[in-house]
Amino acid sequence: MEQQYGADPRLMRWIYNNVCGYPQTYSDLKKLKRLDGERSYYAGNNDYDISGFPRWLVEKEGDFTLIGEMTNLQRLRFAKVSINDFSFLSGCRNLRVLDLQKTNFTDCRILAQLPALREVSLPLERKLEHTEILQTLSVTHNMPVKVKAEKPFYRDEDFPNMQIVKAEDIVLSFCGKSEVRCVDICVFCRNNSRLSKFPAQQEDNWFHLNQETKETKIRQLTEAILREQIKSYALSLEPWGEGHYLLADFADGWATLNYMDEENQIFYTSYNSAYDTVEILAPVNMGGQTPTPKMWALDDMPLVAEITRHFLKTGQLLPGTQWITGV
């Protein structure tokens, strides 16, 4: 019976791109000297038919061990991916250049098992384990090994004035009043007619709604947050929504919430107590552009929904939550 090999669909895409089509035999993989997970699609093809792969190569979600069978690989670059076990790398004895920056790689001991290694790119150093191996690679390999660790976008020392404050200690207002007047919602799916105009953009578009309508729309919005259908929102205490607002951006199960009063230079951002550093970034960006540390973002959508509900009802931040200022 012909032996079958499993491969994650992403790895099959990498193979397809790097052999310029479908491998025909197992030895085709053995011949590979370069596997670049970020190599652009071959000949402009944006998709491929899985049936084009030989029968001995089958889809197996999360399985990247086939890389260890590519014993002639000299250069290997991973695209963004999370892998449970990188021990398969020990089979790549001819590997000279290895790029792991966009992975969840942690255990540096495997690098000592790659005798031909001359250059390795790694994730943030704070994520790595057994980093003492990095100091001895050149000695054990009998020639220089270039080690490049990812540089953090932010450093903790860049924010000496950062403070954590309780929502109960924050009082928000505009012209002496604390009530939401203008709301703007951006959804991922414009086909969602209930949310695509929530309500129509105009002066005091929230303020003029009756209480029953507000309750209905709050329920619709919080349910959409839980279903991860919201891209961003701005909930403002001003009639035209030009300031004094709670801004939120969403991506991949994360949200960053920021209250901004630009006139008085007041700024609060959400605080995630599970993180004690700004050096680890969340997948969501503030304003859709500025990278956000996980320390300043939330991955608890029920909590985000409750913060949103409370702000729409009161114009204040949810009691019991913590926020960061001074950044």
Side-chain angles (χ1 to χ4, degrees), residues 193-213:
S193 58
R194 292 187 303 176
L195 291 169
S196 58
K197 295 181 179 179
F198 185 92
Q201 183 65 41
Q202 59 187 20
E203 182 180 6
D204 276 336
N205 66 353
W206 183 261
F207 181 73
H208 290 311
L209 298 178
N210 61 48
Q211 192 58 38
E212 182 180 356
T213 301

Side-chain angles (χ1 to χ4, degrees), residues 34-291:
R34 178 190 182 100
L35 184 66
D36 188 342
E38 297 196 333
R39 184 173 179 177
S40 58
Y41 297 139
Y42 171 66
N45 290 332
N46 292 319
D47 202 359
Y48 65 92
D49 185 353
I50 191 67
S51 64
F53 280 95
R55 289 181 299 177
W56 52 266
L57 186 56
V58 297
E59 279 190 320
K60 187 177 180 182
E61 197 77 31
D63 191 342
F64 288 82
T65 56
L66 187 62
I67 293 176
E69 301 288 330
M70 303 176 190
T71 52
N72 284 307
L73 272 184
Q74 295 182 12
R75 303 177 68 91
L76 171 59
R77 178 168 68 156
F78 286 88
K80 185 177 181 180
V81 68
S82 180
I83 299 174
N84 292 330
D85 183 1
F86 283 88
S87 61
F88 59 82
L89 288 176
S90 61
C92 303
R93 305 281 292 176
N94 290 300
L95 200 58
R96 297 177 61 86
V97 178
L98 174 62
D99 188 340
L100 294 158
Q101 280 198 344
K102 295 184 178 180
T103 73
N104 60 327
F105 178 84
T106 58
D107 192 346
C108 295
R109 291 177 295 183
I110 191 68
L111 302 178
Q113 301 178 42
L114 305 176
L117 192 64
R118 298 295 173 261
E119 181 179 319
V120 58
S121 299
L122 300 170
L124 287 173
E125 187 173 357
R126 65 180 298 113
K127 298 180 182 180
L128 302 176
E129 300 173 358
H130 305 288
T131 54
E132 68 279 0
I133 296 296
L134 303 179
Q135 310 302 321
T136 61
L137 280 180
S138 293
V139 176
T140 57
H141 288 55
N142 296 318
M143 63 175 58
V145 178
K146 184 177 181 181
V147 178
K148 299 186 295 183
E150 181 184 357
K151 301 297 183 184
F153 189 89
Y154 298 110
R155 294 185 181 275
D156 294 317
E157 54 266 31
D158 296 333
F159 302 96
N161 299 319
M162 185 169 64
Q163 297 180 1
I164 300 170
V165 293
K166 297 179 181 179
E168 295 89 330
D169 297 330
I170 302 171
V171 179
L172 309 177
S173 67
F174 173 67
C175 295
K177 295 185 178 181
S178 298
E179 55 186 338
V180 175
R181 301 182 68 99
C182 190
V183 170
D184 184 29
I185 307 293
C186 181
V187 299
F188 282 114
C189 179
R190 283 295 176 186
N191 293 329
N192 192 328
S193 58
R194 292 187 303 176
L195 291 169
S196 58
K197 295 181 179 179
F198 185 92
Q201 183 65 41
Q202 59 187 20
E203 182 180 6
D204 276 336
N205 66 353
W206 183 261
F207 181 73
H208 290 311
L209 298 178
N210 61 48
Q211 192 58 38
E212 182 180 356
T213 301
K214 286 181 179 179
E215 291 291 340
T216 298
K217 291 189 174 297
I218 288 173
R219 185 182 68 254
Q220 292 172 349
L221 176 57
T222 53
E223 288 176 353
I225 288 173
L226 295 175
R227 292 194 295 267
E228 299 185 22
Q229 295 176 330
I230 302 300
K231 185 176 182 181
S232 64
Y233 68 58
L235 317 179
S236 176
L237 307 185
E238 295 188 25
W240 278 105
E242 295 178 343
H244 293 82
Y245 36 40
L246 181 67
L247 305 176
D249 290 278
F250 298 81
D252 298 331
W254 285 81
T256 178
L257 288 83
N258 307 281
Y259 181 82
M260 300 178 66
D261 173 359
E262 296 176 350
E263 179 183 358
N264 298 303
Q265 296 296 299
I266 297 173
F267 179 81
Y268 298 101
T269 188
S270 45
Y271 170 59
N272 191 329
S273 61
Y275 299 88
D276 61 357
T277 178
V278 299
E279 295 185 5
I280 303 174
L281 296 182
V284 60
N285 294 331
M286 286 184 283
Q289 297 181 6
T290 306

